Amino acid sequence: MKTRTKVVVIGGGIAGCSTLYHLTKEGWSDVVLLERNNLTSGTTWHSAAQVTNFGMNQTMVGLKKHSIKLYRDLANDPNFPVNYNYADGGIRLANTEEQMDAYRHFTSMGRGMGVDFEVIDAEECKRRHPLISTDNLLGGWWDPHDGNIDPYQLCNALTGRAKNAGAEVYTDTPVTALDQYKDGTWKVTTHKGVIDCDIVVNAGGYRVNEVAKMMNVHHPVASMEHQYFLTEDIPAIEKAGHRMPLLRCPISDYYCRQDKNGLLIGFYEQDCKPWGMDGIDPNFVNALCPDDLDRVTDVLEGAFARMPALKEVGIRNIVNGPITYTIDGTPLVGKIPGKENAFCIIGLRAGIGEGGGHGWLLAQQIVHGEACYDTWCLDPARFTSHTNVELTSLKAIEDYQNEFRFHFPHEHRPAGRSAKTTSLTPIMTENNAEFTVVNGWERVDFIKPSKDFKCTHSFNFDEAFSVVGKEIANVQNNVGICEVNGFNRFEITGEDTDSFIDRMFCGKITHKPGRVGLGYLLNELGMIKGEATITNIPESERGPKRVWYGSAAASELHDMDWLTQHIKQDEKVNIKSLTNNQTILIIAGPNSRKVISACSRENWSKEAFSWLSVRECFIGFSPATVMAVSFSGEMAYEIHIPNESLYAAYLSLTKAGTEFGMQIFGARAVESMRMEKGFLAWKHDLITEYDPFETGLNRFTNLQKENFIGKAALQKRFDSGLKKKLVCLNINCKHAPAPGGASLMDGDKVVGTISSGEWGYRVNQNLAYAFINIDKAEIGTKMDLDLFGKLVKAEVIPFAPYDSNFSRILA
């Protein structure tokens, strides 16, 4: 075994094999894969190995599209033969109109990625899959590229090509220790010796946290037992003259595909079982769990009803093996938070179908720093410290039980709720709050008109539409209060703080004491990495001169890694997280100045405390840091309160607000108001696939600035001219918002993609943001939105249609 290499990939399942292969495709040949037993000896060997284009967002569709293209190429390579049943086709069934609308949306989204799906009715489902019944069936979603592949042959083909490019693979080589040198490189200890490397990749499958423990980290990945059986031959299949399409059934929680002249039937039963929570036998290799068909009886009855032919056929073989789930069901692919030169590709519950694309995206991140798509939906940094083993297992069970039931907008499932709360959570509950979840935090979505008020999950505007409108009207005409918990907040100190911040942002950032600024961070490719407010807090009895860096609630680990990795060795910069120590109370509306004046002794006049000012003070007797900033477009104050004083500050504000008509407003109201004001949302409108000029952030970008991260790449992009641009649209529709990922059409040509959509109550317009071709970006340009399979007119309008001169904020 060699003693030095550039990358060590740990794990020889589909994740590790795909990563190794794609690293060689990106030009890195000095790479090694270590496998504790034989290739595919974990979950991969017993995978049902289905390969579909289906994905809940464009990134997932794109990586699956790559998998299919790669697998077709491998299947046609005589040097590494792979059995691939490509284009059998696949159907996802539906028995509600809400599901059918979702399928129509996913079809629109897929079109923007160059993938053609089709929504079909119940009779067409039966025509294409003659074994099914149409009882309790409305229709389905057809993927013409669906199929299945031999997982063992696939992994050997990937590693075979990788070895031909210079990579090396060592089987029967368990890793026993991982130690990091002072320069950030790694020492990998095995039974066969030590190998040093620049970068280590955890592709450990269901042993992911055995590998993670060697790095002193934990990943929110759990394993679930999963059963399928293989039937004896079915006469109808033998007579069909073609292979049966794959079937996935959210109605009865099962799937099936053809296997020889029978079927492979897999189950997602409600009485499901986690696996390996208390450790995994070291000898569990190419092994299975005991059969337990009693557990799937309820699901089997649904499968019998949908496919009556199953009642007449015997079972040839039963498989019960572990598969991995993350805390939200989507894999973790990318840099490991808090660790230098360490990456992971784990939690691939549909590993074979997705693995080709996951390895492709990870290899790009390792070699180039970013992938061609924004990978936040896969980023390990999207979860923070609350994701322990117990919570992960609860969410894994819930995801397993809902395997084929996708999340609707505003749907937050019950498992593991209240993971992060504040002292105000019970108060908000008493006020009939409906909660949304942001990075585990319970945050008010809206205030229900009654305790038993319910919303229907769909892609349309729901029953809360008018409720949210009333919250916004009160903010516009009186004053509202909103709790923003979990907001990311770092305190930056040190004599090099100002120069460090200048280098991190692509535009001018104010360093004036008592002032707040907004700026954007780019990656080395000149693309949007993050958005942050910079608040310059003068020296006081509460502390020395310091800067507060504030960003989106979910960005805590993402931004900390990005900032700390760019501190130069000789720079005196210290960064401390205050994210979990403080909470924001926002008061917004024309009466907000009167409210804050009634509960604080400071002078809050426009002259004494203008927009974008910050001061330390007391709200009642609670210490607070107040900023004159607004995400709503109304006069507003962000009041940052230490968590131990939050309840007292809330009481002071609500008491003062009583005479001014103050009411609680929630996240849905904030989302609507920010779109009316032209404000952008991180990882919706601000993504790594676009640069600041394409995103319309010209006034926050200065190419004359001496130096900032990504400047050279951004200059090159600027010189080549814009190809896409973010625009604001008015959608000619009143029943539904434009969902993210939906395609904009000019005839039969896709010209853009929706990034955000919401009703603008104050302007009475259905608003959307979208990245569109530059030739369609002028104000007044009309096009069509593919909204659930129907074309709806859309027109480009100016950003910030509400109070475009900022008169209400500056009042």
Side-chain angles (χ1 to χ4, degrees):
M1 187 173 74
K2 67 196 303 184
T3 58
R4 186 73 175 82
T5 190
K6 196 165 186 67
V7 182
V8 167
V9 179
I10 303 171
I14 180 61
C17 295
S18 177
T19 301
L20 189 78
Y21 166 74
H22 284 99
L23 284 169
T24 65
K25 292 295 288 182
E26 296 298 325
W28 285 13
S29 58
D30 182 15
V31 291
V32 166
L33 185 147
L34 303 178
E35 162 55 42
R36 70 191 304 273
N37 300 111
N38 298 310
L39 296 184
T40 75
S41 61
T43 294
T44 300
W45 78 272
H46 62 73
S47 168
Q50 299 168 116
V51 184
T52 176
N53 265 315
F54 174 78
M56 287 292 292
N57 54 55
Q58 287 189 310
T59 296
M60 296 299 290
V61 172
L63 69 85
K64 292 185 178 186
K65 178 183 176 182
H66 174 84
S67 292
I68 290 172
K69 181 181 177 182
L70 170 62
Y71 298 171
R72 293 186 71 187
D73 179 50
L74 292 171
N76 292 324
D77 184 350
N79 296 314
F80 303 103
V82 180
N83 293 324
Y84 181 20
N85 294 308
Y86 166 69
D88 289 348
I91 306 173
R92 289 176 185 263
L93 302 179
N95 65 342
T96 70
E97 282 297 340
E98 289 79 12
Q99 289 173 312
M100 293 295 286
D101 272 350
Y103 289 160
R104 295 180 186 106
H105 164 59
F106 296 142
T107 300
S108 173
M109 182 180 67
R111 184 174 292 118
M113 298 299 292
V115 176
D116 292 326
F117 298 115
E118 185 182 359
V119 179
I120 56 179
D121 63 21
E123 290 303 319
E124 185 61 17
C125 289
K126 182 172 178 58
R127 190 189 72 77
R128 298 187 189 189
H129 200 307
L131 296 182
I132 69 170
S133 162
T134 59
D135 290 347
N136 188 33
L137 186 66
L138 281 182
W141 190 50
W142 173 259
D143 175 5
H145 304 282
D146 215 336
N148 70 281
I149 196 166
D150 185 300
Y152 179 80
Q153 293 176 333
L154 170 60
C155 288
N156 277 277
L158 290 167
T159 54
R161 283 192 175 187
K163 287 189 284 188
N164 283 349
E168 297 187 28
V169 176
Y170 304 114
T171 55
D172 297 312
T173 311
V175 174
T176 57
L178 291 168
D179 299 286
Q180 196 160 28
Y181 297 111
K182 289 183 178 180
D183 65 356
T185 62
W186 289 89
K187 173 185 176 183
V188 182
T189 303
T190 77
H191 288 315
K192 295 181 179 178
V194 169
I195 181 169
D196 290 338
C197 62
D198 296 332
I199 294 168
V200 67
V201 177
N202 185 349
Y206 53 65
R207 296 188 186 274
V208 49
N209 278 311
E210 293 179 8
V211 178
K213 188 175 182 180
M214 300 179 201
M215 298 185 193
N216 295 316
V217 297
H218 171 78
H219 297 295
V221 177
S223 295
M224 300 292 297
E225 288 189 16
H226 177 60
Q227 295 187 93
Y228 65 78
F229 63 66
L230 305 171
T231 74
E232 295 175 345
D233 290 353
I234 297 175
I237 291 179
E238 294 181 90
K239 296 176 183 177
H242 62 83
R243 288 183 59 82
M244 287 291 124
L246 288 81
L247 195 73
R248 298 172 182 86
C249 182
I251 307 166
S252 301
D253 297 305
Y254 81 98
Y255 64 88
C256 70
R257 67 165 173 83
Q258 185 167 334
D259 182 80
K260 299 179 180 177
N261 284 320
L263 290 174
L264 182 156
I265 312 283
F267 307 98
Y268 290 96
E269 70 280 7
Q270 297 302 295
D271 184 24
C272 54
K273 185 177 179 182
W275 179 85
M277 286 184 66
D278 298 317
I280 302 169
D281 186 340
N283 298 313
F284 192 88
V285 177
N286 285 114
L288 295 172
C289 309
D291 301 342
D292 190 3
L293 284 186
D294 288 344
R295 211 168 66 222
V296 301
T297 301
D298 56 335
V299 186
L300 191 56
E301 289 176 357
F304 283 163
R306 182 62 58 202
M307 302 178 73
L310 292 176
K311 299 177 183 178
E312 313 298 328
V313 66
I315 297 174
R316 181 162 50 87
N317 193 22
I318 300 172
V319 173
N320 183 18
I323 57 176
T324 56
Y325 279 74
T326 68
I327 198 165
D328 68 351
T330 304
L332 303 176
V333 180
K335 184 183 181 300
I336 297 174
K339 289 293 176 182
E340 188 177 1
N341 298 323
F343 294 80
C344 62
I345 176 168
I346 52 180
L348 277 62
R349 78 172 192 253
I352 297 299
E354 302 174 350
H358 286 309
W360 174 55
L361 294 180
L362 181 60
Q364 291 177 56
Q365 292 177 67
I366 292 171
V367 175
H368 307 296
E370 295 284 359
C372 57
Y373 305 136
D374 188 287
T375 56
W376 178 245
C377 65
L378 305 168
D379 198 319
R382 71 187 189 272
F383 302 118
T384 50
S385 58
H386 67 289
T387 54
N388 53 45
V389 173
E390 288 74 14
L391 179 60
T392 300
S393 296
L394 285 174
K395 296 303 288 184
I397 291 168
E398 184 179 63
D399 261 339
Y400 187 95
Q401 293 170 332
N402 290 278
E403 175 67 29
F404 299 129
R405 286 184 283 276
F406 41 80
H407 281 80
F408 283 99
H410 306 301
E411 180 187 4
H412 300 286
R413 292 172 180 166
R417 293 296 294 270
S418 297
K420 293 182 181 181
T421 61
T422 73
S423 57
L424 298 188
T425 304
I427 308 301
M428 298 301 177
T429 302
E430 289 178 5
N431 280 278
N432 290 334
E434 179 72 20
F435 291 94
T436 184
V437 181
V438 181
N439 188 27
W441 289 97
E442 295 289 332
R443 187 180 292 180
V444 174
D445 203 23
F446 62 91
I447 299 298
K448 298 182 289 186
S450 63
K451 187 175 182 179
D452 58 354
F453 181 84
K454 299 287 185 184
C455 287
T456 304
H457 291 141
S458 79
F459 278 81
N460 294 324
F461 292 121
D462 62 22
E463 291 85 347
F465 183 85
S466 60
V467 177
V468 175
K470 290 176 182 176
E471 288 182 8
I472 292 172
N474 189 66
V475 171
Q476 182 182 22
N477 299 311
N478 298 308
V479 60
I481 187 168
C482 174
E483 180 190 29
V484 181
N485 45 22
F487 181 79
N488 188 47
R489 182 187 297 97
F490 301 147
E491 183 174 276
I492 307 178
T493 56
E495 61 186 68
D496 295 318
T497 294
D498 289 349
S499 59
F500 169 71
I501 288 172
D502 279 337
R503 193 174 72 255
M504 297 302 298
F505 289 85
C506 64
K508 178 178 171 56
I509 296 293
T510 181
H511 302 300
K512 186 177 179 182
R515 299 298 292 171
V516 182
L518 178 66
Y520 294 86
L521 304 91
L522 310 184
N523 59 31
E524 284 86 352
L525 304 178
M527 314 299 258
I528 296 287
K529 187 72 175 178
E531 175 192 60
T533 55
I534 294 296
T535 304
N536 300 283
I537 303 176
E539 181 179 2
S540 72
E541 66 275 8
R542 297 188 194 175
K545 174 182 179 292
R546 59 209 183 276
V547 168
W548 275 9
Y549 171 108
S551 57
S555 69
E556 180 183 355
L557 298 184
H558 173 280
D559 285 13
M560 180 62 84
D561 265 5
W562 185 252
L563 294 175
T564 54
Q565 77 183 52
H566 285 96
I567 300 175
K568 295 179 180 179
Q569 198 166 11
D570 61 348
E571 277 187 316
K572 295 180 179 177
V573 174
N574 302 300
I575 304 176
K576 180 175 71 173
S577 178
L578 303 177
T579 299
N580 298 306
N581 300 338
Q582 302 216 9
T583 295
I584 299 173
L585 293 175
I586 294 174
I587 56 171
N591 288 331
S592 56
R593 183 177 288 136
K594 295 175 183 177
V595 171
I596 200 167
S597 296
C599 57
S600 172
R601 292 184 294 110
E602 304 291 333
N603 181 354
W604 298 99
S605 67
K606 178 179 178 180
E607 294 72 24
F609 195 72
S610 60
W611 189 44
L612 300 181
S613 294
V614 60
R615 69 161 50 131
E616 294 175 320
C617 63
F618 291 89
I619 299 296
F621 55 79
S622 302
T625 305
V626 179
M627 304 176 197
V629 295
S630 175
F631 205 49
S632 63
E634 305 293 343
M635 180 195 300
Y637 301 93
E638 276 188 7
I639 305 170
H640 299 244
I641 307 287
N643 284 342
E644 64 271 20
S645 303
L646 179 63
Y647 180 53
Y650 176 79
L651 291 178
S652 295
L653 287 165
T654 51
K655 181 179 179 181
T658 300
E659 67 174 292
F660 302 110
M662 188 159 74
Q663 297 175 9
I664 301 167
F665 66 100
R668 289 209 205 180
V670 172
E671 178 68 7
S672 168
M673 291 188 286
R674 71 98 180 167
M675 291 200 64
E676 291 178 304
K677 279 304 299 172
F679 298 146
L680 309 183
W682 188 65
K683 293 309 175 187
H684 291 273
D685 320 303
L686 300 166
I687 59 176
T688 59
E689 294 176 35
Y690 299 100
D691 67 40
F693 296 115
E694 292 171 316
T695 314
L697 300 172
N698 302 50
R699 67 191 179 97
F700 295 98
T701 309
N702 180 13
L703 283 171
Q704 305 307 310
K705 190 176 176 180
E706 184 177 343
N707 192 28
F708 56 83
I709 295 169
K711 178 181 176 180
L714 180 60
Q715 182 69 63
K716 192 172 182 180
R717 292 181 61 85
F718 178 78
D719 293 343
S720 66
L722 297 183
K723 297 178 177 61
K724 294 275 189 177
K725 187 176 180 183
L726 185 69
V727 300
C728 184
L729 298 166
N730 180 21
I731 309 299
N732 187 22
C733 158
K734 293 187 177 181
H735 71 277
S743 291
L744 290 156
M745 310 295 298
D746 183 11
D748 59 357
K749 181 183 176 184
V750 177
V751 296
T753 300
I754 298 293
S755 61
S756 294
E758 190 53 82
W759 186 264
Y761 292 85
R762 294 171 298 186
V763 298
N764 196 33
Q765 290 179 313
N766 194 351
L767 301 173
Y769 296 161
F771 285 97
I772 65 172
N773 295 351
I774 193 65
D775 62 337
K776 297 293 180 183
E778 288 190 16
I779 304 298
T781 303
K782 294 180 174 61
M783 61 201 78
D784 293 313
L785 169 66
D786 180 354
L787 186 66
F788 316 134
K790 295 181 179 179
L791 295 181
V792 174
K793 294 298 179 184
E795 180 179 349
V796 179
I797 62 173
F799 265 94
Y802 179 71
D803 188 30
S804 58
N805 62 3
F806 281 56
S807 63
R808 297 182 69 86
I809 289 178
L810 298 173

